[in-house]
Amino acid sequence: MRALASITSVTRVAAVTWATLTLGSCGDPAVVVPETLAVVTILPTHGASDVVADVVPLVYFSQSVGDTAAAAAAVDLACLGAPPCSSPTAATCVAPLIAVTFEDARAQVATITPSAPLLDDTCYAIVVGEGIEAQDSDIGPLPVEVRSSFKTRP
């Protein structure tokens, strides 16, 4: 019996790698790892510093989001406290209320609009919760929570 295996495609998005693996043997059965929704980019980028206090963060998804209201509820902006952002001091701040909207026609970009400017010289995190579903039912939901932190300018 001769068995063959080949990787037909590999995709790396947001520190997660997906691969489609095709196995061949008697009858050529195929094993396919399903595609899932992914966060492609978050702006400001993770680790950014000197970010302006009136920033309007953006979250870019790999596919169109299905239920934009549910997706908006899964996106948050959290105040982490004073730098360094890798281990901030106790958070003595509260992030302003935010509005999360999908203004693009394809519902792939979430715009996070704070109700007030962010505090100067403070660490914040953008949190995108797992389970956000894609519009295409063949695409699986976002499998993990995605976090990205940044620091506002002094």
Side-chain angles (χ1 to χ4, degrees):
M1 175 194 242
R2 185 173 145 213
L4 302 172
S6 64
I7 296 178
T8 54
S9 68
V10 175
T11 306
R12 182 163 175 80
V13 178
V16 178
T17 302
W18 291 272
T20 301
L21 176 66
T22 304
L23 300 174
S25 66
C26 184
D28 290 327
V31 176
V32 178
V33 178
E35 185 177 356
T36 60
L37 186 67
V39 172
V40 178
T41 302
I42 296 178
L43 298 175
T45 58
H46 181 68
S49 60
D50 204 33
V51 174
V52 295
D54 60 352
V55 65
V56 177
L58 301 172
V59 177
Y60 289 83
F61 292 93
S62 60
Q63 302 284 332
S64 297
V65 169
D67 183 348
T68 57
V75 175
D76 194 20
L77 176 67
C79 184
L80 302 177
C85 295
S86 58
S87 58
T89 58
T92 56
C93 57
V94 175
L97 295 175
I98 60 169
V100 179
T101 56
F102 287 83
E103 297 172 5
D104 63 311
R106 294 186 56 192
Q108 280 186 268
V109 182
T111 302
I112 304 168
T113 307
S115 61
L118 304 181
L119 299 174
D120 291 334
D121 198 27
T122 303
C123 299
Y124 289 88
I126 297 168
V127 182
V128 183
E130 67 180 283
I132 296 173
E133 295 187 358
Q135 190 174 52
D136 183 343
S137 61
D138 290 335
I139 306 295
L142 184 66
V144 296
E145 178 181 90
V146 179
R147 299 177 70 87
S148 179
S149 62
F150 64 93
K151 184 183 83 63
T152 52
R153 65 175 48 159

